[in-house]
């Protein structure tokens, strides 16, 4: 019996700097509709595009959203990643921290790989059976450890933008 082969691919996610991205895995065709409903319920100003890679049947990239440009970006990213049951969400006028709990509460969502404004690369493994996301590279490596002034700045910023009291 032949040993199955495995290859690796690194997919850079193409996104504008002012856009946040969430990449995750789910398991059912209705994922795209349920993610849409979860996102629309967060804020009337949230702009988003969702794309979901169907892993069986017609194996289409299912898409939805309330911003045509973000739907197109999400669709292109999903096609580039091309991993079964993966999804990509692009956001404007909102942040991942505001939508992660509703996204994770969608029954089909199995996990989240990243939620970020940083540049992202997706590490994909490919076998004769298909492609799957192994992980992501989200941003750059640290250049040091925060000092007291850095900690105070972080503390002040979180309170200034309303995330802490």
């Amino acid at each position: 019996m032949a040993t199955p082969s495995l290859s690796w691919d690194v997919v850079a996610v193409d996104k504008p700097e002012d856009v946040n991205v969430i990449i995750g895995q789910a398991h059912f065709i209705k994922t795209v509709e349920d993610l849409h409903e979860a996102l629309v319920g967060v804020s009337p100003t949230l702009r988003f595009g969702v794309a979901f890679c169907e892993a069986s049947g017609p194996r289409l990239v299912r898409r939805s959203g309330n911003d045509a440009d973000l739907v197109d970006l999400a669709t292109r990213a999903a096609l580039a990643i091309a991993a079964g049951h993966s999804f990509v969400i692009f956001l404007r006028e909102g942040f991942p921290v505001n939508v992660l709990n509703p996204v994770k509460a969608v029954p089909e969502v199995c996990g989240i790989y990243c939620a970020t404004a940083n540049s992202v690369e997706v590490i994909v493994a490919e076998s004769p059976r298909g492609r799957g996301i192994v992980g992501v590279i989200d941003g750059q490596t640290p250049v040091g450890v925060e000092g007291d002034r850095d900690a105070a700045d972080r503390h002040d910023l979180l309170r200034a933008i309303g995330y802490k009291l």
Side-chain angles (χ1 to χ4, degrees):
M1 177 192 273
T3 304
S5 64
L6 183 68
S7 62
W8 301 91
D9 193 8
V10 178
V11 179
V13 175
D14 182 27
K15 69 171 208 56
E17 283 188 31
D18 69 328
V19 171
N20 284 274
V21 62
I22 299 170
I23 299 173
Q25 187 166 9
H27 69 85
F28 191 48
I29 190 173
K30 77 183 192 82
T31 298
V32 73
E33 292 180 34
D34 288 353
L35 286 173
H36 182 112
E37 291 168 6
L39 292 165
V40 116
V42 169
S43 165
T45 60
L46 182 70
R47 309 306 303 155
F48 65 90
V50 179
F52 171 68
C53 294
E54 191 174 49
S56 59
R59 296 190 343 242
L60 301 173
V61 172
R62 305 294 180 165
R63 58 200 173 105
S64 189
N66 64 5
D67 182 299
D69 291 337
L70 295 177
V71 171
D72 183 57
L73 279 172
T75 302
R76 285 190 278 137
L79 283 168
I81 295 166
H85 284 152
S86 63
F87 65 85
V88 178
I89 300 170
F90 281 112
L91 303 172
R92 271 199 178 111
E93 310 299 326
F95 301 98
V97 70
N98 303 118
V99 302
L100 272 176
N101 283 336
V103 166
K104 290 187 292 187
V106 170
E108 303 88 63
V109 171
C110 302
I112 304 293
Y113 293 103
C114 70
T116 187
N118 293 336
S119 60
V120 174
E121 293 176 326
V122 180
I123 311 304
V124 178
E126 185 168 359
S127 77
R129 181 163 295 209
R131 289 168 60 93
I133 297 174
V134 175
V136 299
I137 297 172
D138 175 359
Q140 299 177 340
T141 58
V143 295
V145 176
E146 77 176 347
D148 292 342
R149 180 73 247 156
D150 302 306
D153 290 347
R154 171 178 42 83
H155 181 270
D156 293 345
L157 172 66
L158 292 174
R159 279 134 191 93
I161 61 176
Y163 280 104
K164 293 285 183 173
L165 299 175

